[in-house]
Amino acid sequence: LTQHFAQVLEQNGLIEERTSKQVYSVDDGRFLPDRYVEGTCPTCGFEKARGDQCDNCGRLLDPVDLIDPYSSVSGSKNIEIRDTNHLYLLQTQMQDKIRDWVNSKGAQWPGLAVSIANKWLDEGLIARAITRDLSWGVPVLDADGNPRP
């Protein structure tokens, strides 16, 4: 099913390969997901901010923007910011259809779910990475059966 969804999305021009910057822990020998990076919030100075958000000021963060980042897995500060390629879902191209879908289904959802969905839609959806630098998981394959980034 994963391959089918990826192929249909790509055929409809909704997947794009992009290069982005990601936190790499040299001592852990891997790229770190957002929540495995901690450091100082660049907005409020909170020293225990996570790579995805600061629990002190509530700001959503990009882990590469943290000050003095470190691996929450090992505590290592031997961190590099490296380029990596990923596939992105182009949600911006689906925003109107998604809003219509939320409006048609929202009456059956909890109020908080509708509120959050509408908040994201009102702020404008952005392209999101749908692949990760992990040794496990379901690979996305190209038409010839080769793994995509």
Side-chain angles (χ1 to χ4, degrees):
L1 283 176
T2 300
Q3 303 310 323
H4 172 74
F5 289 138
Q7 288 171 359
V8 169
L9 289 168
E10 188 148 30
Q11 289 167 357
N12 286 288
L14 297 172
I15 292 181
E16 177 178 275
E17 184 175 334
R18 295 183 180 178
T19 300
S20 61
K21 304 236 178 262
Q22 191 171 349
V23 176
Y24 184 85
S25 171
V26 176
D27 293 338
D28 296 334
R30 66 178 183 160
F31 285 98
L32 298 174
D34 301 2
R35 309 245 331 150
Y36 289 13
V37 183
E38 293 184 0
T40 301
C41 175
T43 302
C44 74
F46 182 61
E47 293 181 357
K48 289 283 196 180
R50 292 189 315 265
D52 59 345
Q53 75 177 41
C54 176
D55 287 337
N56 186 58
C57 69
R59 170 87 48 151
L60 295 179
L61 300 172
D62 187 322
V64 301
D65 295 332
L66 289 174
I67 300 165
D68 298 323
Y70 61 92
S71 166
S72 65
V73 176
S74 66
S76 173
K77 292 189 174 201
N78 192 5
I79 298 293
E80 297 175 352
I81 305 302
R82 293 187 179 179
D83 286 342
T84 184
N85 291 338
H86 288 287
L87 300 179
Y88 281 72
L89 179 61
L90 304 178
Q91 297 181 116
T92 53
Q93 295 181 20
M94 300 181 290
Q95 178 141 341
D96 292 338
K97 288 182 182 180
I98 293 172
R99 184 180 298 278
D100 290 344
W101 185 80
V102 168
N103 289 339
S104 72
K105 304 292 183 186
Q108 303 162 20
W109 299 356
L112 182 59
V114 174
S115 175
I116 291 171
N118 283 321
K119 179 180 183 290
W120 287 352
L121 289 161
D122 291 344
E123 291 173 354
L125 298 179
I126 62 171
R128 295 276 182 189
I130 59 170
T131 56
R132 301 286 184 268
D133 292 302
L134 299 171
S135 59
W136 54 272
V138 178
V140 177
L141 306 177
D142 64 19
D144 297 324
N146 300 309
R148 300 281 309 272

